[in-house]
Amino acid sequence: MKSADAGVRLKSRFLTIVLVPTILLLIGASAWMQVDLSGFWVFRVPTGDGNFRETFFELKQDGETITGKVLAGGREVAITEGTFKNGTLQFVVIFGTAPQTRRVVYEGTLAGEKITLTSQAPGREPFKGTAERTKPEAALPPPRLPLPDLHDVQDNGLARTPPMGWNSWNKFAGKVDDSVVRSIADAMVSSGMKQAGYVYVNIDDTWEGPRDAQGNITSNLKFPDMKALADYVHSKGLKIGIYSSPGPKTCAGYEGSYGHEEQDAKTFAAWGIDYLKYDWCSASRIYKNEDMQASYQKMGDALRKAGRPMVFSLCQYGIGDVWKWGPRVGGNLWRTTGDISDNWKSLERIGFRQMEIASYTNVGHWNDPDMLEIGNGGMTADEYRTHMSLWALLAAPLLAGNDLRAMSDETKSILMNSEVIAVDQDADGKPARRISDAEATSVVIVRPLHDGSVAIGLFNRADQAQEISVTWEALGLSGKKLLARDLWKRTNVQLPTGSYQPVVPSHGVVLLKVSTTR
Ligand code: GLA
């Protein structure tokens, strides 16, 4: 009996341990086998401010193999290494082009009609969200709206010298919120930045919320009350800037002004906004480069109509020779390049490639080689002095991009050097020119100033210190008695006759202001 009992027990054990799970697994597997993930999906990741970042997939399932593509910002990128096994979806997408590729791994499980999904790029926080089925049209941009005929937008009379202030993007990107902006405004005053001339506190991308029932743009959870924030910034004697796009979405995927230009300009005016950066972004999915002028003109007109003076900053990365038509659409400044980053390579690439278009700068209309990285930690003090000196010689906007609440004395001394700022802010707005060879590692740039003096930058692009020479003849100053000031050492300099050739540190600069005397 005992052994018979044991046999029964063994059987029932076998049933529970082996058979039941196997049967369940088979039922489960057959359930997954019936599921075909083929079709369009939208992957929605909450951004934490009430918005969602959306990515579209077109999946094709063949047995356990998944192929297809990811549709991101008008680009289609193939899915590789895709499988769907036992309810688990996995695939890889290689974004970018070699050598700058980013391998993103997507992994998730199907529950009912939804996939709980995570995307993971190397060295980044994973994005967690949900994918749901959608229609192919959802991945497409809205239909093209007609653009107005070209005409000249009247000059708004603002930004008679290059705008000075701060912008949130370089340091804070998506982490900017109401309290950051308030504390930056406080720091702009307490650090002496305001005194030095910095006045605009500019909120870049990621402030936007959804549109209300009337189509009015709202701010998201990070910015509970834009008008109150503007009032606060104004109460400090400062001005406030905001950001939008002529496209339906901004570059970070937030709500743009497409089809709502006048309405948004009115909203910005009602909030008390003083400055708009208008970033092309997703407009490229609807319009061609040739349409840019009309598209920017639309907002230029809308700003004029809104009845509040607002600096108009065009951001379309220098496409279509914007410096030729920027003023005609009411622009006060226009980006001439792609985005800057906080490293020497980026600074060098952008900063020294501005000379050919330097002559398009004039009072009220400025080339914008992008915001400052000074104080963000990726460059040496010499490199940051080069950054500041170049921007000053180019009459570029001085929009600090660092955390003004925590500046080292060195950073302060660079951003707040009043003699360098005075070069940037010179009333005549005359362009600089390079008098050295374009390919040389020693670069000499000169800019005539209002008081008859000339600012001279001696830049060293080489990886070791070198002497850089400037002759008075090249400047038309030979035979004259010269007075010179070293704007970084903040001392007067005795200039030798004929030429001057100081040793300039690697990636550094000697910035002089030279005037003639009797
Ligand atoms: C673009 C701009 C940047 C910044 C981001 C925000 O890349 O060039 O300056 O505004 O968008 O998304």
Side-chain angles (χ1 to χ4, degrees), residues 26 46 53 68 85 130 155 161 175 220 225 269 271 279 281 292 318 366 377 396 418 442 485 493 497:
L26 283 175
R53 185 177 292 111
K85 282 186 201 161
T130 309
D155 185 2
T161 60
K175 296 205 169 73
N220 64 42
D225 187 341
W271 284 343
D279 196 350
C281 306
M292 275 184 178
W366 311 102
S418 56
S442 54
R485 178 117 177 122
V493 192
T497 43

Side-chain angles (χ1 to χ4, degrees), residues 212-227:
D212 69 12
Q214 286 73 45
N216 296 309
I217 186 89
T218 65
S219 52
N220 64 42
L221 300 177
K222 296 189 298 173
F223 291 91
D225 187 341
M226 237 0 148
K227 169 91 174 66

Side-chain angles (χ1 to χ4, degrees), residues 13-56:
R13 259 222 182 133
F14 178 73
L15 262 174
T16 30
I17 297 175
V18 181
L19 268 184
V20 174
T22 314
I23 290 164
L24 285 176
L25 205 77
L26 283 175
I27 295 171
S30 66
W32 301 131
M33 271 189 258
Q34 281 158 20
V35 176
D36 184 356
L37 299 185
S38 298
F40 279 83
W41 294 77
V42 57
F43 175 35
R44 304 180 85 221
V45 177
T47 48
D49 53 23
N51 287 295
F52 291 88
R53 185 177 292 111
E54 291 187 339
T55 314
F56 294 88

